[in-house]
Each structure stands twice: as structure tokens, then as C-alpha cells.
Amino acid sequence: MPYYLTTPIYYVNGKPHIGHAYTTCAADILVRHRRQRGDETFFLTGVDEHATKVYRVAEEQGLPVQEYVDQIAEVWRELAPRLNAEPDFFIRTSDEGHKRFVREFLQRIYDNGDVYEGVYSGLYCVGCEEFKSEDELIDGKCPIHGTVPERIEEKNYFFRLSAYQDRLLELYDARADFVLPEFRFNEARSFIAGGLQDFSISRAGQPWGIPLPWDESQVAYVWADALINYLSALTYARPGEDLRPEFWPGRHLMAKDILRFHCIYWPAMLLAAGYEVPKQIFVHGYLLLDDKKVSKSLGNVVDPLELIDVYGADPIRYWCARAVSFGQDGSASIDGIHERYERELGNDLGNLLSRTTAMIERYRDGRIWPRAGRNDELAAAVDEMRGGVERNLDRYDITGAIDAIWSLVRRLNRYVTDRAPWVLAKDESQAAELDAILYDLADGLRVVAIAVASYLPETAPRLLEALGQPLDLAWDGVAYGRLVPAERIGAAPPLFPRIDPPPALAAA
Ligand code: MSP
């Protein structure tokens, strides 16, 4: 099955922070998992360059805007690889391929009669890059940015969103899982039911953007340009290939801040242009870092992203999945990274591997071979974990799925404690029992390695290697009893060696 997943394209008015990393990690976990299950995948991320706020930062820095975005886009391009995420394409909205496609797309909407000329007179928040109505403001200020929006009066082209209310409601009523989680679906649906207003899709008087094909004196409004990236990328990501037939419609992942654009504007624009609407939209929560703590304890010494340099990408990915229940809002602390690194990655998983391999080396001369009989209980636990991961990831719940994996990790740890192999090792008559236990531990760890590979892509192969197993991450391997005989297994070095917390964290 083709599986196409996107992250938002991020604004380049500043540098990436841990919030952007959060979405990118989640998306990569989902896509890698799909690939393990045998799907043909396409993962898109990138940057949104034609925003007014981007233009203004370039001006402040005294740089020609194209030069500014060319520089900062490279910083953003590094985000995914630093997180060990593997997007298939990194889109920039200043790509020629994107600009060409946006013009075609908007022209289609125009030709279909859904665009008309009007005068926009009202408020615009540059922070949100969004037109605001008076009643959305608090004390005359944008509730998100705390700034007074700018008053704008200009000739604009409007998209007839109001004409799509019924079709959007039909869509929502026909597809209960169009938007997930359910409370976000309800939020989007009630917004539609409350009535939709046409929105401006162009800006006059701004030189930065994609000129409208039918009126070059105006540029596309940044959202009318940006949303289209999800389709445009498929037309030029692989030169000479059109990926739309295989991958469209795709799935979108983003946080609740941009729900309306994705769940309402975008499907309506697609309908207007004669495209299928997205397959699914998952809206996750906002990860609120304990701000005071971050700024106080980190004192701007450690940029959260620099934590990757301290801990490596895998622990940061793991923390993203664990920090709050994915989909819900939640506040998390940066200190949690260190705690989870030591307790869960270091102790639960790392020590389990070290102990298991050390025992295989010591008691069985580094050899492991098929055991007699099978451990039905463990086999059932593996099946349960496998089902749990599949069910959770099928609904984007990266937290639920890692919980299911960790239940198995904990179970294996309990198995060691309960069966005390070091006691059995002293008694020759218990040799077969010890063989069976060592086999089960190694096989359990092999299963964990494959299951957790989408979260810990660097660690998973190390686990398999330490157990002398082929580096095959195919999902079929998540089944009891597939361990292949191996020799020369030696006590594995710690997967997650002790690290001193960065000074700023230690001071927290
Ligand atoms: N450029 C638009 C998106 C256009 S998509 C066609 C934009 N950019 S953004 O840089 O502001 O990115 C917003 C997105 O970044 C959120 O929807 C979310 O995916 C991610 N996050 C930024 N901060 C975040 C948190 N603190 N917590 C969770 N996600 C965060 O909006």
C-alpha cells in the first residue's frame, strides 16, 4: 500500500526548535514503521518561505530576501538528518517546480469560478500570517502573539470557501476518521457547521511571493501557496516522474495551531481544483515545555536541539514519543530527556542487552541455538505487543505503541529476575532450562529491536548485531521463535553509556 505522510512546511523566520523537531520525529517514526510493514512510502517535509514575517526578518538583517532564505533553508534542511529522520524530499516554496504548480493550481480554481475580486479591509497578524476578525482579539491584540494586528485595506482575490460548507460537512459525515483524534474532528466539524467565510488568497503590495497567473500585480497569500506544497512536491521531487497517481491522496500531520488551514481550507481548495481530499489528517497537541525551567535552567546555554549532540538522535526521538501522550496537549520537561535516557533506555533496554549477552558469553561460550519446546507465555506476549503496536500506529498513537513495546521490555527484565539464570548456571542438571531462558531473552530482544526500530533507528541494528542476528527489520520478524543460531556473542558494550547531563540541565 502506498503511504504518503507530510509534516507542515516550517516558516524560516527563525531557526528550528524542539517543537518542530517533535512533529518531524513523529512523522519519521510513522513512516519508518510503514516501511517495515512493506508499504511503499513517501515522506515530505520542508520550508515555507513566502511569509511576510520571513520577508521582514530578511529586511531587518539587511539581506536580499532570496539570499536570506537560501541561507536559512540550509539550516532547516539539516533538521531531519540530525534527528535521524529520512524524508524522501525537502521542499522549499521558492523551488521553481513548486511555483509553477501553485500558479497552475490557483488558475484552475480561478477558471472554475471560485475566485472573485474584492477589497479586504481588516486586520492581519503577521505572527500568525492570518487575517483576524475583531472578536478573535483580546484587548485588541492577537491572543497568540500578544501583538496588535496590522490594519490592511487592499484589493484582494477571495476564494469562495462559503460555497463549500455543505460539501465539507458531507465529507466529514461520510468519513468519521478524516480528522484524528476524534476531538479534533469535532472541533473542525463544528467550525464548518458554524458557517464559513470566504478568505483572501492574495496579497497586494508585497513583492515577496508567487505572482498570481491572472494578475501579476498580486502574490499568492502565504497559506494559499504553502498548502499546495503537499501536491506540488509529488510533481517534481523525482525528476521526470509524477508521483501523484501513486501517492495522492496523502496524510498530513501537524499541531492544532494550524488545524483550520489543513482541515477546512485545504480540503475546500482541493475540491475546487478537482483533486481528491487528503486521506487523513492527524492533529497533535502542543508540546509545552516548562518554559520557566527551560529558560532558567538552560539559560540559553543549551538549545534544546543541541541536546541531540549530547544524547544522540535516538534518545530525543524516544523522548518525543514519550513526553506526552501523542495527540494530547501536554507539558514536558527537558530534564525528562536525561531521566528517560538513564532509566528507560539505559537500564530497561541497555542493561537487558548487556546482561543477556554477558550470560550467553559466560555460560554458553557465546553460542545460542534453538531451544527445545516453546515458551507459550512469551509467544503470547510478543503477539500482544505486535498487535498493540500495529493498532496504535495505525491511529498515529506513537505513545501507545512505545508503551506496548516497553511492556515487553519490562516483562523480559522480570523474566531475568524471576528465573535468576545465574543460579541455574551453578547446577548442571538445569542446563536445558538455562538454554531455554537464554534463548528466550535473546529472541525477546530480537523482537524488541525490530519493533522499536522506527523509534530508535540507530540502536535497533546494534541490538541485532550484538545478538548475531541478520539486520532485517521486516515486520514479519516480530514473532516469537525466529532467532537464528549464532556464535561468538560477546558481552555487548552499553547501548546508552552514562552521560553527564549538560551543565545547564544539571543545574535545573
Ligand atoms: N508554515 C506554516 C505551516 C504551513 S503547512 C502548509 C507554519 N509553520 S511553523 O513553523 O509555525 O510550524 C508550525 C508547526 O510546527 C506546528 O503545527 C507543529 O507541527 C510544529 N510545532 C511548533 N511548535 C510546536 C510545539 N511547541 N509543540 C508541538 N508542535 C510544534 O505554521
Side-chain angles (χ1 to χ4, degrees), residues 7-11 17 19-20 22-23 48 53 76 223 226-227 229-230 253-258 262 284-288:
T7 71
I9 46 172
Y10 306 113
Y11 288 130
H17 60 65
H20 306 115
Y22 184 65
T23 311
D48 188 353
K53 57 183 169 188
W76 282 88
W223 276 100
L227 287 163
N229 92 89
Y230 300 134
L253 187 66
M254 86 276 335
K256 60 175 187 176
D257 53 338
I258 49 180
H262 284 82
H284 64 71
Y286 239 60
L287 183 66
L288 298 175

Side-chain angles (χ1 to χ4, degrees), residues 115-126:
V115 173
Y116 63 92
E117 205 175 336
V119 171
Y120 182 82
S121 169
L123 302 164
Y124 189 81
C125 171
V126 175

Side-chain angles (χ1 to χ4, degrees), residues 62-293:
L63 286 174
V65 60
Q66 189 62 52
E67 200 177 310
Y68 167 77
V69 293
D70 286 347
Q71 278 174 18
I72 195 150
E74 294 315 306
V75 177
W76 282 88
R77 198 189 291 280
E78 284 305 301
L79 175 66
R82 277 182 74 190
L83 293 165
N84 233 322
E86 289 179 334
D88 292 281
F89 191 61
F90 178 85
I91 188 169
R92 295 183 54 187
T93 52
S94 61
D95 289 345
E96 285 310 318
H98 174 73
K99 292 198 268 194
R100 194 181 331 112
F101 187 85
V102 166
R103 284 160 62 91
E104 268 170 41
F105 187 99
L106 293 177
Q107 185 70 51
R108 279 171 81 152
I109 297 184
Y110 184 81
D111 293 343
N112 291 346
D114 283 319
V115 173
Y116 63 92
E117 205 175 336
V119 171
Y120 182 82
S121 169
L123 302 164
Y124 189 81
C125 171
V126 175
C128 296
E129 296 290 355
E130 196 175 356
F131 298 96
K132 297 276 172 186
S133 63
E134 299 276 357
D135 56 4
E136 287 176 88
L137 307 180
I138 298 174
D139 295 334
K141 292 181 179 159
C142 164
I144 298 161
H145 294 91
T147 48
V148 179
E150 299 173 18
R151 189 156 286 282
I152 290 181
E153 179 160 332
E154 57 181 41
K155 189 185 92 172
N156 277 174
Y157 291 94
F158 286 78
F159 172 62
R160 236 180 268 286
L161 182 65
S162 54
Y164 285 86
Q165 181 176 9
D166 291 343
R167 287 181 68 185
L168 287 175
L169 286 175
E170 274 166 32
L171 164 69
Y172 274 72
D173 292 340
R175 285 167 54 180
D177 61 355
F178 179 56
V179 174
L180 291 173
E182 199 185 341
F183 71 105
R184 298 291 179 203
F185 174 98
N186 295 335
E187 194 178 322
R189 195 189 177 285
S190 49
F191 187 82
I192 301 167
L196 297 176
Q197 283 182 3
D198 297 345
F199 70 95
S200 162
I201 53 160
S202 70
R203 296 297 310 274
Q206 180 177 301
W208 179 235
I210 304 177
L212 295 181
W214 65 88
D215 180 351
E216 304 247 336
S217 72
Q218 303 234 356
V219 297
Y221 165 47
V222 63
W223 276 100
D225 154 351
L227 287 163
I228 299 170
N229 92 89
Y230 300 134
L231 260 180
S232 74
L234 297 180
T235 65
Y236 70 96
R238 293 204 189 123
E241 273 184 73
D242 182 357
L243 301 172
R244 283 174 297 177
E246 182 173 8
F247 288 111
W248 191 257
R251 298 157 195 269
H252 306 309
L253 187 66
M254 86 276 335
K256 60 175 187 176
D257 53 338
I258 49 180
L259 173 146
R260 254 185 237 177
F261 291 106
H262 284 82
C263 301
I264 298 161
Y265 290 28
W266 177 227
M269 286 167 66
L270 285 162
L271 290 171
Y275 278 96
E276 274 184 75
V277 297
K279 189 163 268 169
Q280 210 159 41
I281 300 172
F282 187 88
V283 185
H284 64 71
Y286 239 60
L287 183 66
L288 298 175
L289 296 178
D290 184 350
D291 269 342
K292 263 180 262 139
K293 211 165 199 170

